[in-house]
Amino acid sequence: MKYMLLIHHGADTASGNEAWEAMSEEEQREVYAAWQAVNETPGLTPGVRMADPENATTVRVQDGRTLTTDGPFVELKEAIGGYCFFECDDLDAAIEMAARIPSARNGGAVEVRPIVEQ
Amino acid sequence: MTPLAETFRDDWGRVLAALIGLLGDFDLAEEAAQEAFAVAAERWPRDGVPSNPRSWLVTTARNRAIDRIRRERTLAEKTRQLTPPAVAHDETDEMDATRFPDERLELIFTCCHPALATEAQVALTLRTLGGLGTAEIARAFLVPEPTMAQRLVRAKRKIKAAGIPFRVPADHLLPDRLAAVLAVVYLIFNAGYSAPADNELTREALRLGRALAELMPDEPEIHGLLALMLLHDARRAARVDGGALVLLADQDPSRWDRRQIAAGRAALERALALRGNGPYVVQAAIASLHAELPRDWPQIAALYGELARLTGSPVVELSRAVAVAEADGPAAGLAIAEKVPLDGYHYLHATRGELLRRLDRVEQARDAYRRALELVHDDAERRLLERRLAAL
């Protein structure tokens, strides 16, 4: 099975995040180390790094007109902050992988979405 | 009961589990199992029941499923997801039972996977392991049949699309996953237990409990849950009198099922021998003490204290208040009850009403019973509260 892991950041987004700033250097190092371990796991393909959702622009087309709004489609704190792909046997393995992503334990969440095989 | 109906009840879950294991597809397995049972219904009364009915059913169903896959493959070349198992095509009744491993555990762990919503876990467990019809399940849970049908379809679709595995979880996942399975079984039991007229669900929960105890004999919480269900169910007949609910304290012990109490205690002893001390074991120990007269209230109160510590549940704390009232007097019980944060729960106010009555605080008792009556939904419980209020 192949899964896309959609990451909703918790306290571990780096820039201007109060909860991140409140972490000790030691805790921040642990987050980096956990990310590195995740990215080095066999079967995992890291996504490209996304800028903060504050910088997002949401686009809709109505009656042929392109409408844009500032910010992400969902609430700022619900926006997707990153993603990766994981190939493994089944959902149990994907859930274990998702649980190792620091965002899952720092107030964020990881959505495990199966990818449709062609 | 006809031999077929007997087989159906006892073996539907095993036959279906084996087929899902063989075919890797819930819907295909279910359709094939239904076909095989239909063939059996037609043939067995005429030709006699085969020596190993279960193997006959699995073999027949598997062959039908393979035929179906082949048919569909010729119709549409695109069906590539399923590879039919390479086995000989013979509908013999001389099958060796050991050729089909018992995969009910794999099935129940799949049905109770935490990636499915609890109500879907319950419905799927009843449908696949219990063989209950969609209409029956819908009625038991008071939802329209199409809603329940949709719930089942969606759950089965997710199992396939999301890659929920058909296997017993690895050791490091087992404690949490087993707790989820036991929660589903107990939920089924309670749904049946709160409806005195229909105990199909309690029977099914007991069947599941026994199967789990047989398949995972070293898990104390399974024996604890089985003991708990048996001990509760033993008091079923004494629980309702002329449509009115009878409180445990007022029940006629001669209407308790002694054999079932003994079976419950045997399961509890097995759990304790395995050094079980989880929530189901503690609840079973409490239920066992409740089935012993005169009751050992100090011991019951102590066990409720332990259970409250394990679960952090205010409902349990309320039960402890009742036990403490019996052990140390109504004032001590009331002091605990008044601190329970469950203002919207009718049992809290019914309990307060009873304890206030014993303390001769009649006006306050009346207020408490009236508050309980505002909150109660069940008719039998309402009549009981009305009797209590009128007796003040």
Side-chain angles (χ1 to χ4, degrees), chain A residues 56-76:
Chain A
T57 304
T58 300
V59 179
R60 292 175 183 78
V61 177
Q62 271 173 14
D63 303 324
R65 282 180 55 225
T66 300
L67 306 173
T68 58
T69 44
D70 180 27
F73 178 55
V74 293
E75 293 289 312
L76 201 55

Side-chain angles (χ1 to χ4, degrees), chain A residues 1 3 89-92 95-96 114, chain B residues 113 161-163 165 167 172 177:
Chain A
M1 292 281 303
Y3 299 89
D89 287 344
D90 56 42
L91 186 61
D92 282 355
I95 289 172
E96 281 192 64
Chain B
H113 196 281
R167 69 166 143 74
H172 67 289
R177 297 288 306 279

Side-chain angles (χ1 to χ4, degrees), chain B residues 129-153:
Chain B
L129 282 137
L132 269 70
T134 306
E136 244 177 311
I137 305 170
R139 223 177 308 121
F141 290 93
L142 308 172
V143 301
E145 196 182 330
T147 309
M148 187 54 79
Q150 185 59 33
R151 193 177 286 172
L152 285 163
V153 167

Side-chain angles (χ1 to χ4, degrees), chain B residues 321-341:
Chain B
V322 173
V324 167
E326 296 296 334
D328 303 328
L334 187 63
I336 296 168
E338 297 290 10
K339 280 189 222 141
V340 173

